Amino acid sequence: MVNLTINSIPVTVPEGTTILDAAASVDIEIPSLCYLKELNEISACRVCCVEVEGEGKLVPSCNNVVREGMVIRTNSPRALEARRVNMELILSQHDNKCATCIRSGTCQLQKIANDMGILGVSYPTDLARGKKADWTTTFPLYRDVNKCIKCMRCIQVCDKVQSLSVWDISGSGARTTIDVSGNRVIKQADCSLCGQCITHCPTGALRERDDTQKAYAALGDPDRVTIVQIAPAVRAAWGEAFGMPTGKATVGQLVSVLRKLGADYVFDTTFSADLTIMEEGTELLQRLQAGDLDNQPMFTSCCPGWVRFLKSQFPEMTGRLSTAKSPQQMFGAVGKTWLAHNLGVDADKIYSISIMPCIAKKAERELPSMDSAGHGSDVDLVITTRELARMARAEHLDVENIAESAFDSPLGDGTGAGVIFGATGGVMEAALRSAYFLTTGENPSPDAFREVRDDGTISPLPWREATFELAGRTVRCAVASGLGNARQLLHSLQRREVHYEFVEIMACPGGCAGGGGQPVDGTDREKAADRGKVLFRLDQNAPLRFSHENPAVQALYREYLDEPCSHRAEELLHCDHFA
Ligand code: HC0
Ligand code: SF4
């Protein structure tokens, strides 16, 4: 252990502790902007400088470790002055228009400047001219070079967690900035659109394309029938955007918000998650029976970030993806066919909006095979959890106290199995529950496959694995979240070091719960695990926990699709990943 004093308080911490963490251990918070534990410890911003007494030195506290006998002052006049100068220099190269900035209120730069009482910047403003918007508004990810503070967090999260290295440093000296790596434009950069760079950006430099104006136009158009679907993971997180603890705001309250915003019908993506299980589970059993080893393992296909990654990084493995569309897209196809017929509405009048925790979903709806209902795109617009929160805020709704309302029928029926899609391991678990039923005719215990969940224990591999017996057949399963982990798993598969029959991959760490479209609160706390727990608790308490017991899914097959993987189901609910 190492003994030191910080602001005259004696502190004892293990060797190797940073000054920043040592201070935190005695409740002294040193402001920092670029720092992300174990990810970005490069002291790029130098806002966390402290003074080491007796040595006459100012050092960044995030990447300097404690030494025996050190005397640290986090608030000496020199430390405060250095911090202020560093902040003002950053602000002099920042477009400080908070009133029109998406991150106002959750921006770490704004908070620290406000906390420090910086009321003006002593240095001349020096913004890159003519480069404000790096690319047009057609790409789902948007970057504003003049909001970038060069903290390098986006570079690190894309590189170390997602293994894609889309971002890099460009230019030199005072003109140093962050840009797409390798002199490419973003559309050529194999970006998975996971959005992790956005959720890890401390400012408004990165954000999703804002589609709220299109949503307002559709919701306010009397000639359109708006049907809205809410993704599983949104329910665990949306209240965070209003300062509520994770999981406090309910999905019933969110349904009410959407009704106030003018939605004609509000449905649940968990309905089509259950439908996905029927299709994907059947496909898995067919592939196992066919014994086609070239196409094993079967990969889940519901995460468009993962699908983009696979197609760009391991194109030769694309055929292993399940052909099942994602629940978002299955919902879209059913919405403009069976539902339109049920509601007695002209399908061409339907405008289908989905509320997703995800940026990649905006691109998924535009893919060539996502118009199988024959009425334009099956899903017309994708709004992230953050965009939805902004729309609710614009209405000045008292979201914390808004009464709950029920989903509309029939696409509002979902089971607990559909809800857990939003957490890593959930798709696999839901699929195994129904695959067991489809092979034996009996339900397993709903928790029989919980081994594939991320329960917080450390896995010896960058992924989790489990083996189950299904009707006398051994099914080896693997679950990975985060594209860096996925890459390692794929390399192991290629080297034939591991063998699986079924693999679930989600691009975002923790699955959609940690999606790139989820709320950010400016605290750097990773929330995916807590949100995942909310989803598993909802499943635990759900009256139905098996996708095949979803009454609306049963009715859909009875009235329209016949059976899973029928000709019509193939046409509407499956896609060609090579198209
Ligand atoms: Fe997900 Fe989904 S679980 S990908 O994270 O499969 O976005 O929440 O909506 O489509 O259901 C996201 C979440 C979904 C889909 C579902 C799947
Ligand atoms: Fe989108 Fe979920 Fe995939 Fe993340 S894990 S890219 S939120 S679908």
Side-chain angles (χ1 to χ4, degrees):
M1 299 297 272
V2 178
N3 302 297
L4 68 159
T5 62
I6 305 180
N7 298 353
S8 308
I9 300 171
V11 183
T12 304
V13 285
E15 226 168 281
T17 305
T18 61
I19 298 171
L20 190 88
D21 283 345
S25 76
V26 288
D27 293 330
I28 296 173
E29 190 191 319
I30 303 171
S32 64
L33 261 178
C34 65
Y35 174 72
L36 275 181
K37 197 166 179 61
E38 287 164 14
L39 207 56
N40 201 37
E41 302 180 340
I42 56 171
S43 74
C45 71
R46 304 191 96 74
V47 168
C48 67
C49 276
V50 296
E51 183 166 2
V52 187
E53 254 179 39
E55 297 181 20
K57 268 204 312 201
L58 288 167
V59 295
S61 58
C62 70
N63 65 351
N64 275 280
V65 296
V66 293
R67 278 180 281 112
E68 185 66 28
M70 253 182 167
V71 179
I72 302 285
R73 290 218 75 92
T74 69
N75 54 5
S76 69
R78 274 188 78 205
L80 293 179
E81 175 64 10
R83 199 170 295 153
R84 175 175 286 267
V85 167
N86 291 339
M87 274 299 287
E88 287 194 26
L89 286 169
I90 293 170
L91 290 167
S92 74
Q93 296 197 330
H94 184 79
D95 179 16
N96 299 313
K97 295 198 193 81
C98 295
T100 50
C101 183
I102 214 151
R103 287 293 299 271
S104 190
T106 63
C107 170
Q108 289 165 285
L109 180 69
Q110 182 190 45
K111 178 169 190 313
I112 294 174
N114 284 178
D115 288 353
M116 289 171 64
I118 295 179
L119 302 177
V121 177
S122 327
Y123 305 97
T125 304
D126 181 20
L127 298 181
R129 283 198 199 102
K131 282 188 73 186
K132 189 152 184 258
D134 269 315
W135 45 78
T136 68
T137 50
T138 55
F139 199 66
L141 182 77
Y142 180 93
R143 181 164 178 272
D144 184 341
V145 70
N146 285 330
K147 300 263 185 209
C148 173
I149 58 166
K150 297 126 189 142
C151 68
M152 320 282 171
R153 287 187 187 195
C154 55
I155 296 181
Q156 304 275 32
V157 76
C158 190
D159 195 18
K160 290 188 189 156
V161 180
Q162 300 298 64
S163 78
L164 276 168
S165 307
V166 168
W167 306 111
D168 202 356
I169 298 170
S170 102
S172 58
R175 288 277 162 248
T176 302
T177 188
I178 313 297
D179 211 335
V180 182
S181 59
N183 284 325
R184 298 171 297 177
V185 295
I186 187 74
K187 284 182 185 169
Q188 301 166 339
D190 293 341
C191 169
S192 69
L193 286 172
C194 69
Q196 293 302 307
C197 56
I198 300 177
T199 51
H200 289 82
C201 176
T203 73
L206 287 157
R207 63 170 168 85
E208 69 277 338
R209 180 185 67 214
D210 184 276
D211 286 325
T212 57
Q213 298 308 312
K214 286 186 186 152
Y216 285 126
L219 292 166
D221 183 345
D223 293 327
R224 279 178 169 165
V225 178
T226 45
I227 62 172
V228 180
Q229 58 169 309
I230 302 174
V234 173
R235 69 206 61 204
W238 76 279
E240 292 167 19
F242 298 90
M244 286 184 256
T246 301
K248 179 156 190 288
T250 66
V251 75
Q253 290 178 299
L254 183 52
V255 173
S256 297
V257 166
L258 284 157
R259 294 201 196 288
K260 298 245 183 219
L261 286 167
D264 293 312
Y265 296 93
V266 186
F267 296 119
D268 197 350
T269 313
T270 60
F271 156 80
S272 43
D274 287 331
L275 182 59
T276 301
I277 289 304
M278 299 308 290
E279 295 295 323
E280 195 170 281
T282 305
E283 186 184 352
L284 173 68
L285 294 174
Q286 286 173 350
R287 287 203 195 193
L288 289 175
Q289 269 150 17
D292 175 4
L293 293 179
D294 284 346
N295 271 330
Q296 283 183 8
M298 184 173 91
F299 294 144
T300 55
S301 55
C302 49
C303 165
W306 147 242
V307 172
R308 285 173 72 90
F309 172 87
L310 184 73
K311 285 160 86 171
S312 72
Q313 308 296 302
F314 297 85
E316 67 285 2
M317 288 187 166
T318 304
R320 299 187 188 191
L321 283 168
S322 161
T323 61
K325 287 182 185 169
S326 73
Q328 157 168 290
Q329 294 305 138
M330 286 200 186
F331 180 97
V334 171
K336 291 194 179 180
T337 52
W338 185 63
L339 176 74
H341 177 76
N342 259 3
L343 298 176
V345 171
D346 176 357
D348 286 320
K349 290 201 162 182
I350 288 185
Y351 192 84
S352 182
I353 303 177
S354 46
I355 315 297
M356 292 282 142
C358 177
I359 312 295
K361 289 277 171 197
K362 286 183 187 266
E364 183 186 45
R365 67 155 283 279
E366 295 167 8
L367 288 172
S369 48
M370 300 304 171
D371 58 354
S372 41
H375 301 277
S377 297
D378 293 337
V379 173
D380 294 290
L381 192 68
V382 176
I383 292 288
T384 60
T385 317
R386 289 192 295 271
E387 288 172 282
L388 188 270
R390 293 204 290 278
M391 293 176 73
R393 208 172 290 121
E395 291 286 309
H396 293 273
L397 299 174
D398 179 7
V399 295
E400 201 160 348
N401 296 306
I402 199 166
E404 297 187 321
S405 72
F407 282 112
D408 289 299
S409 197
L411 307 198
D413 286 349
T415 69
V419 171
I420 59 175
F421 262 58
T424 175
V427 180
M428 168 77 70
E429 191 174 340
L432 292 171
R433 287 182 197 173
S434 284
Y436 185 95
F437 174 82
L438 292 171
T439 48
T440 66
E442 286 172 17
N443 280 345
S445 151
D447 293 316
F449 305 105
R450 63 176 303 149
E451 233 181 292
V452 295
R453 288 182 200 174
D454 185 355
D455 58 2
T457 54
I458 308 284
S459 167
L461 295 165
W463 57 90
R464 305 182 72 78
E465 56 179 10
T467 301
F468 302 105
E469 294 297 318
L470 270 186
R473 191 188 291 274
T474 302
V475 182
R476 290 162 295 186
C477 305
V479 171
S481 75
L483 294 172
N485 294 336
R487 190 184 291 279
Q488 293 193 57
L489 170 52
L490 295 186
H491 280 150
S492 282
L493 282 168
Q494 280 180 324
R495 292 194 292 260
R496 300 189 184 275
E497 294 161 358
V498 290
H499 301 275
Y500 302 111
E501 278 76 36
F502 190 24
V503 168
E504 177 205 296
I505 296 182
M506 288 294 190
C508 296
C512 300
Q518 294 280 51
V520 282
D521 64 2
T523 64
D524 295 336
R525 268 198 302 275
E526 298 288 354
K527 299 253 178 62
D530 287 347
R531 294 171 187 154
K533 279 187 201 136
V534 171
L535 298 177
F536 282 110
R537 199 181 62 228
L538 288 171
D539 167 45
Q540 199 75 43
N541 297 330
L544 294 176
R545 298 186 65 196
F546 296 96
S547 296
H548 54 271
E549 292 184 346
N550 182 322
V553 169
Q554 290 172 343
L556 173 64
Y557 282 114
R558 204 169 49 240
E559 295 173 15
Y560 192 61
L561 294 176
D562 195 18
E563 59 181 6
C565 297
S566 67
H567 180 64
R568 186 176 264 173
E570 289 286 343
E571 270 183 2
L572 276 184
L573 309 180
H574 292 254
C575 66
D576 176 2
H577 294 292
F578 296 95

